Amino acid sequence: MKTGDAVSVFSDLEGKCTRGNKDFKGKRVFVGNGVAEMDRADIFCSDEPVKGVGVRMVEPLYQSPSFDGVLPSLAFLQNLPSVVVGHVLGPRPGERILDMCAAPGGKTCHIAALMGGQGEVVALDKIRGKVERIRQNAKALHLDCIKAHCFNSIKAVCTDQVQDTEGPPFPPQSFDRVLLDAPCSGLGQRPSMVCTWNLKEICSYQPLQRKLFHTAERLLKRGGVLVYSTCTVTLAENEEQVAWALNTFPCLTLQPQEPHIGAEGMLGAGLSPEQLRLLQRFSPELVWSAAEARGEDDSPTEQPESPTPLAHRANKDTIGFFIAKFLKS
């Protein structure tokens, strides 16, 4: 391979391709065609770490431009459902808001921006490196109202009614709004070429999410809003958790969401049709046709129709996601 050669790019699904292999027969998925920006020798025969662009993609399978490093102080790239979550939470200037599982801080920063930087957004994560990432993102976007702490959110509530320190744990009813973007099996994430999880691992998240739910309810003020979200598609981590929460916490009631551009909730958890309509689900299935993605008809014999409104097509061809909004009475 020489600089300027046309090359095809594949993903090695099982991570078994050895360095420099010329005849790999393992499981792979085609991701697009490109042009080599380096010679093969520059990549595989260098004594120094290889840096820079190896292949410039000219025919990618997924038509997504790169936003890496574009307007870093003004823009933060998010998936559509992640943007919707911040608006559903509905933060207002002057409020105190908790983001319980905040890393890497995209939703945290969006919440702070929606508040105009007025108030306080407390961001928690139990992994120190991830907390530093939240702080870096907040600094880059000039959002001074974000306070990030390395702490296990399950233990974020204390029995004392008066708080001695700025950080966690916090007294009960400390926050006007709480976002529980819970750890989950992540089955809605894209792109994902292969899933190595077993059933035991996938099922391990429901108990953890319920422990976090207990803390969220205790930290939320009466009259406050709790938003529960995941980036997975399982009934057990989504609608079943909503049904459990409604039975466990009589003070919580489901609320309408604005905007509501996703599909309604899935059957099977014992929720009523009215309750399912209050939930939002986003589907990760691909929309391969560009015309279909625009809401048009592929048929050459028919006149093209006007594009389908976003609200009628936003619940598919994105990451898999789930949102529920509760009010604490």
Side-chain angles (χ1 to χ4, degrees):
M1 185 181 77
K2 299 293 184 182
T3 300
D5 284 353
V7 296
S8 293
V9 180
F10 293 81
S11 174
D12 171 20
L13 295 185
E14 299 176 323
K16 293 183 177 180
C17 184
T18 56
R19 178 180 171 86
N21 191 328
K22 295 183 178 180
D23 191 31
F24 179 62
K25 300 297 184 182
K27 292 185 178 179
R28 58 187 185 175
V29 168
F30 175 70
V31 295
N33 295 322
V35 176
E37 296 285 318
M38 295 181 178
D39 291 350
R40 177 182 175 84
D42 295 333
I43 298 174
F44 295 111
C45 300
S46 173
D47 294 330
E48 301 294 327
V50 181
K51 296 182 180 179
V53 177
V55 176
R56 176 171 49 86
M57 301 300 291
V58 294
E59 295 175 327
L61 187 61
Y62 304 104
Q63 299 296 327
S64 177
S66 173
F67 285 87
D68 187 31
V70 177
L71 303 175
S73 64
L74 298 174
F76 191 97
L77 189 64
Q78 284 185 291
N79 288 294
L80 176 62
S82 300
V83 178
V84 172
V85 166
H87 290 285
V88 169
L89 184 66
R92 298 173 182 173
E95 292 183 330
R96 192 182 193 204
I97 295 178
L98 175 63
D99 188 350
M100 293 183 67
C101 307
K107 298 180 186 69
T108 308
C109 292
H110 188 206
I111 292 167
L114 290 173
M115 297 167 66
Q118 301 176 44
E120 182 181 12
V121 182
V122 176
L124 302 182
D125 203 279
K126 65 179 183 179
I127 300 177
R128 191 166 301 278
K130 291 185 176 182
V131 174
E132 186 57 34
R133 179 78 181 278
I134 298 171
R135 291 171 178 154
Q136 290 172 357
N137 286 328
K139 182 179 180 180
L141 294 166
H142 309 296
L143 296 169
D144 300 328
C145 66
I146 295 174
K147 310 297 181 186
H149 303 279
C150 183
F151 201 81
N152 184 350
S153 288
I154 292 175
K155 303 176 181 178
V157 61
C158 63
T159 56
D160 299 332
Q161 294 297 322
V162 179
Q163 189 173 5
D164 296 328
T165 60
E166 180 188 35
F170 305 101
Q173 300 191 54
S174 290
F175 296 93
D176 299 291
R177 300 172 195 265
V178 174
L179 172 61
L180 174 51
D181 186 46
C184 66
S185 56
L187 297 177
Q189 289 288 8
R190 286 173 46 184
S192 180
M193 297 296 180
V194 65
C195 179
T196 59
W197 292 60
N198 59 42
L199 184 59
K200 182 179 180 181
E201 289 174 310
I202 292 174
C203 293
S204 69
Y205 282 96
Q206 193 183 64
L208 171 61
Q209 292 160 353
R210 293 185 178 184
K211 290 178 182 178
L212 290 165
F213 232 117
H214 275 283
T215 302
E217 187 277 331
R218 291 185 64 191
L219 288 173
L220 184 63
K221 294 178 181 179
R222 293 187 182 92
V225 170
L226 166 62
V227 170
Y228 173 78
S229 62
T230 73
C231 58
T232 195
V233 295
T234 68
L235 190 72
E237 296 173 79
N238 295 325
E239 287 83 359
E240 284 186 11
Q241 296 294 54
V242 171
W244 168 85
L246 294 173
N247 290 329
T248 305
F249 309 108
C251 60
L252 295 182
T253 54
L254 282 174
Q255 298 296 303
Q257 301 183 36
E258 181 61 38
H260 195 299
I261 58 175
E264 64 183 36
M266 185 188 296
L267 293 168
L271 297 172
S272 69
E274 292 76 16
Q275 290 171 324
L276 292 177
R277 283 194 286 270
L278 294 174
L279 306 176
Q280 287 202 76
R281 259 188 179 266
F282 293 84
S283 177
E285 284 81 6
L286 291 176
V287 176
W288 288 101
S289 164
E292 183 181 356
R294 294 192 303 268
E296 300 171 2
D297 194 324
D298 269 343
S299 173
T301 61
E302 298 182 14
Q303 293 296 321
E305 300 176 1
S306 58
T308 304
L310 175 65
H312 295 163
R313 58 186 169 89
N315 65 326
K316 57 185 177 180
D317 206 1
T318 179
I319 62 169
F321 210 83
F322 176 84
I323 309 173
K325 180 179 181 179
F326 300 87
L327 179 69
K328 182 176 179 179
S329 61

